Amino acid sequence: MKNSTTTGAGSAVIALGALIALTPRFLFSVCEYNGIFMQMGMGKTAHMPCYFTARGAYIVGILIALIGITIVLAKARETVRLLSVVLAGAAIAVVLLPVVFPICPNPDDPCNHGAQPMLIVLGIITFMVAGWLAISSRNSAREIKASRDDATS
């Protein structure tokens, strides 16, 4: 794997992490940022369920961006391969966020129209990038091993 490949892939992962972290607040706001709260008795309000999905997306998005920074700084192919496995796990976490922390039950709430589908799409794209990184780092390792074998014979 060339250094430019890891730099480009790492930059893409950083961008995906930033998009995941920014989606619930700025790109497709969840209910709370649109002024929608759950009404409790006696005039009290509480967080909507999508608030907790947004918090999870912030954390996982920052984790994915940190993985991207590490990919940019990585020197060994084995490191990139292991980071791609961790990235795939984080991507699965992004896709499962709306399941673990359910989105609002009202289908007309803005989080159901924007944040939920966008998080799922970004998670799938991140998983695909992780798969590409794993395959390309494995192929590069095979090429190096084959060239070493040819040099010794």
Side-chain angles (χ1 to χ4, degrees):
M1 218 171 170
K2 295 181 182 177
N3 191 23
S4 61
T5 305
T6 57
T7 302
S11 300
V13 172
I14 293 168
L16 284 168
L19 281 172
I20 290 168
L22 295 175
T23 292
R25 174 64 177 106
F26 297 106
L27 300 177
F28 294 102
S29 300
V30 294
C31 295
E32 187 163 314
Y33 300 113
N34 291 315
I36 303 170
F37 292 92
M38 205 170 2
Q39 298 298 323
M40 307 299 280
M42 300 178 62
K44 294 185 180 183
T45 59
H47 296 294
M48 298 288 279
C50 57
Y51 169 81
F52 301 105
T53 303
R55 294 294 178 208
Y58 298 152
I59 293 168
V60 177
I62 290 170
L63 174 68
I64 290 173
L66 290 174
I67 292 170
I69 291 170
T70 310
I71 289 171
V72 169
L73 299 175
K75 301 281 185 212
R77 289 171 178 78
E78 293 81 18
T79 306
V80 174
R81 193 175 325 137
L82 290 173
L83 286 170
S84 68
V85 172
V86 175
L87 181 63
I92 291 170
V94 171
V95 173
L96 292 178
L97 272 172
V99 176
V100 175
F101 300 111
I103 296 289
C104 299
N106 185 0
D108 294 330
D109 284 342
C111 55
N112 285 319
H113 295 290
Q116 180 182 17
M118 186 66 170
L119 285 175
I120 292 171
V121 167
L122 288 172
I124 291 170
I125 292 170
T126 305
F127 189 79
M128 290 170 33
V129 169
W132 175 79
L133 270 171
I135 290 170
S136 64
S137 66
R138 186 184 72 189
N139 289 342
S140 297
R142 283 184 183 170
E143 292 168 4
I144 289 173
K145 184 178 178 185
S147 66
R148 285 182 190 163
D149 291 343
D150 290 340
T152 57
S153 33

